[in-house]
Amino acid sequence: MENLKQIINIYCGVDGERLKLVKGKYSIYYRCPKYEKDNRDEYESVCTNNISLKDKQYICSIIQEKYNQGLLRENYEHNYMHIRFRIVSINKNEIKVLVINKKKIKF
C-alpha cells in the first residue's frame, strides 16, 4: 500500500453514509447523500455535512503520513481547522474514514 489515496473512502460522521462528489454552484465538493430528500426517510432531517476537495486532500495526506511513519491504526482521530475525522477500519481494499465538518454540524 504505497499510495493510499485510491483506497481512502470518506463517510459521513453523522449517519455513516459514503459522501458523494457533487457539483455545487461554485465548486465540486463531497456531500452527504442524505442532503437530498430522495435519500432520506419521511421524518429524517437533512444532513448538511460536507467537505471540500482540499479537505479530502489534506485528510489523505495525513493518513499517508501516518502510514509512512508506521503509525496508521484504526480509531486514529485528527482535528484540522473545521474538520474532524476518525479512521474506522483499515484493510487492503479500503480505509474507511468518518468525517464531520464542524462548521456544518453542531453538537
Side-chain angles (χ1 to χ4, degrees), residues 17 44 60 67:
E17 296 288 325
E44 197 171 14
C60 290
Y67 173 77

Side-chain angles (χ1 to χ4, degrees), residues 1-2 4 63-72:
M1 287 196 292
E2 289 302 314
L4 303 178
I63 291 171
Q64 185 71 53
E65 181 181 313
K66 291 298 175 189
Y67 173 77
N68 294 344
Q69 296 170 346
L71 300 173
L72 186 63

Side-chain angles (χ1 to χ4, degrees), residues 68-103:
N68 294 344
Q69 296 170 346
L71 300 173
L72 186 63
R73 58 178 165 62
E74 291 179 355
N75 294 316
Y76 171 78
E77 293 188 30
H78 187 84
N79 287 296
Y80 157 71
M81 294 175 43
H82 60 283
I83 300 295
R84 181 171 69 198
F85 72 88
R86 180 170 62 93
I87 298 174
V88 177
S89 63
I90 303 169
N91 63 53
K92 66 179 184 171
N93 298 319
E94 177 184 50
I95 298 175
K96 184 175 181 177
V97 181
L98 293 180
V99 175
I100 291 183
N101 181 336
K102 296 183 280 188
K103 285 184 178 178

Side-chain angles (χ1 to χ4, degrees), residues 9-95:
N9 291 316
I10 306 295
Y11 291 80
C12 181
V14 176
D15 55 41
E17 296 288 325
R18 187 170 175 185
L19 298 186
K20 291 175 30 178
L21 193 59
V22 296
K23 184 175 188 255
K25 186 174 181 180
Y26 302 106
S27 65
I28 297 172
Y29 63 98
Y30 289 89
R31 174 175 76 199
C32 181
K34 292 202 174 183
Y35 178 82
E36 299 160 13
K37 188 175 182 176
D38 294 343
N39 296 326
R40 298 189 311 262
D41 293 334
E42 185 178 349
Y43 299 105
E44 197 171 14
S45 61
V46 66
C47 182
T48 57
N49 198 20
N50 66 56
I51 63 168
S52 69
L53 293 176
K54 184 178 176 182
D55 293 334
K56 184 180 181 204
Q57 184 177 20
Y58 178 79
I59 291 167
C60 290
S61 70
I62 292 295
I63 291 171
Q64 185 71 53
E65 181 181 313
K66 291 298 175 189
Y67 173 77
N68 294 344
Q69 296 170 346
L71 300 173
L72 186 63
R73 58 178 165 62
E74 291 179 355
N75 294 316
Y76 171 78
E77 293 188 30
H78 187 84
N79 287 296
Y80 157 71
M81 294 175 43
H82 60 283
I83 300 295
R84 181 171 69 198
F85 72 88
R86 180 170 62 93
I87 298 174
V88 177
S89 63
I90 303 169
N91 63 53
K92 66 179 184 171
N93 298 319
E94 177 184 50
I95 298 175

